Amino acid sequence: MKSYSIVLIALLMALAIFLPLLITGCTNSKYKIQQYPPARTSFEYTVIDNLHLSEMDESLLANSDRGFRGEVYYTLGTEKAYPGDEQNYLDCVNEQLELYKNDKINILQCYIYLTEYRDRDLNETALSQMKKYFEMFKSKNIRILLRFAYEYTSSANYDAKDGQIIKHLSQIKSFINDNSKLFNDVVYAMQLGLIGLWGEGHGYHYHHNIKKLITKFCEAIPEDIYIMVRTPDILSQVPKKYEHRFSVHDDFLVGMDHKWGMMSWNDPQYQDLLNKNQYAIADGEMPWGRDTTVPVIDPIGFLKQVIGYGLTSLSITHNYIEDLKEKDIVYHLEKWKTEYLTKSQLDKNNIPYLDSMLEKNQISIYNYLQYHLGYNLGVSNLLQTNGKTSFMINNFGIASPFEYKLEIIADGQNIEVEQIQLGRFGQQIVLIDKNVKEIKIKFIHRRTGETIKLANNLPYLDGYNVINL
């Protein structure tokens, strides 16, 4: 009888160990990334260019919520830029916009440091400063990727405890409610921030209940705004009711598997992480150019990583011209202005691109990123037959135009269209049940009312791309 009991105990112990693995599909991953369908790797339908798809046109760079972005800082309470630095916040912004004026950026990543308030509530001074800061961005027609943070150096403890962070989030929620239009006009996406050095979720001094802070953050930030986190470990702790709003921002993009990357590319959930990122706004950056960890970044590997994450925006501040003027050092993005991708390389590596933007069957790596980060939408395949009109919308970029809805007017009549996510290699066929003489196409942002100029040589009037037949 005793031997049967021992066998039974052994079986129960084995089930306790192996049953969770069987339930989860034996992933052997420490992460819990929600599974989403993978992005397409090619167009389903052939693109017939009968609506004048455009070459590289700087007017397309004015399209909002995509492309290269700069990086600025603001310390509430002092009106300085970076904590511990004497630079004025406005000088910091103007310096970035002047430095990258030829790059036509209209997005800035903005760190708002709450360091001065790490052990007290935000006062009226802080709240009025934040409002003035947002108004400044609006006056310059700049959208921001916003992150709140406390700690900026490992040499001292500037961390805030959870109770104070939650109080700040409550105040931020009230600020947003009181300034909702201003907030929507300026903030295009959020990063969780708050925890650890630079808000990147590491190097913090106090114990943090990360799941609770994520919940409080989601309750404070309007539900239609996307949120990024720094690591898959933090992403794994996002409550299920909120996870559809989340992506990761990879701040060490080097085009190869690296110990400072998100996770090992051999991890069973790495592909799940990439798939997840296709369904929310995502951002990333290379290490600073002076970093010696990866002296040479392979451009094809880098592009595959950027495309894998479906990046909407990418830092131009890192690894570009930060040491060009004073030290005459050229980093990757500057070098990539004269290094090219051929049509065959793009096709071989399943890299989406707009063919009409190639010059002599090639495009510089810099220009590829400049025009293909985020969305790059163009219409094609116009057809009138059997008393019906049809055309196709294509996304030649690497990410969906998030938060935009599609409006079609044909000969003055609104046409109902299915609202689909146009991710990379995305296509949408629009069918109009009659022959028409004019089609007006508008992608309009749900929060701001901003519109998208399509990559076609078509009239662009009052936010409408106009096809005259």
Side-chain angles (χ1 to χ4, degrees), residues 8-58:
L8 180 61
I9 291 170
L11 285 171
L12 290 172
M13 289 177 65
L15 281 172
I17 293 171
F18 293 108
L19 187 58
L21 293 177
L22 291 171
I23 293 172
T24 58
C26 301
T27 63
N28 294 320
S29 176
K30 65 179 181 179
Y31 306 108
K32 296 178 181 178
I33 312 297
Q34 294 292 322
Q35 294 186 344
Y36 282 78
R40 295 187 58 84
T41 57
S42 63
F43 284 127
E44 182 176 2
Y45 306 105
T46 301
V47 176
I48 301 172
D49 183 7
N50 56 5
L51 283 171
H52 313 294
L53 289 164
S54 64
E55 301 173 349
M56 286 184 288
D57 178 353
E58 286 191 352

Side-chain angles (χ1 to χ4, degrees), residues 73-75 78 80-87 89 92 111 113 151-153 198:
Y73 320 97
Y74 185 83
T75 304
T78 70
K80 301 299 182 183
Y82 199 74
D85 192 3
E86 288 303 308
Q87 186 183 37
Y89 78 93
C92 178
Y111 294 74
Y113 278 98
E151 298 201 80
Y152 66 95
T153 176
W198 317 296

Side-chain angles (χ1 to χ4, degrees), residues 305-330:
Q305 193 176 20
V306 166
I307 293 164
Y309 281 125
L311 293 195
T312 298
S313 55
L314 174 73
S315 172
I316 200 171
T317 301
H318 292 218
N319 226 308
Y320 184 31
I321 56 174
E322 58 265 33
D323 288 327
L324 182 60
K325 187 175 181 180
E326 293 185 1
K327 300 179 181 179
D328 197 31
I329 300 176
V330 176

Side-chain angles (χ1 to χ4, degrees), residues 225-243:
I225 290 180
Y226 289 96
I227 303 166
M228 307 171 202
V229 296
R230 178 64 181 92
T231 66
D233 179 64
I234 297 176
L235 183 64
S236 298
Q237 298 183 64
V238 176
K240 190 171 183 180
K241 66 181 291 188
Y242 299 121
E243 69 86 27

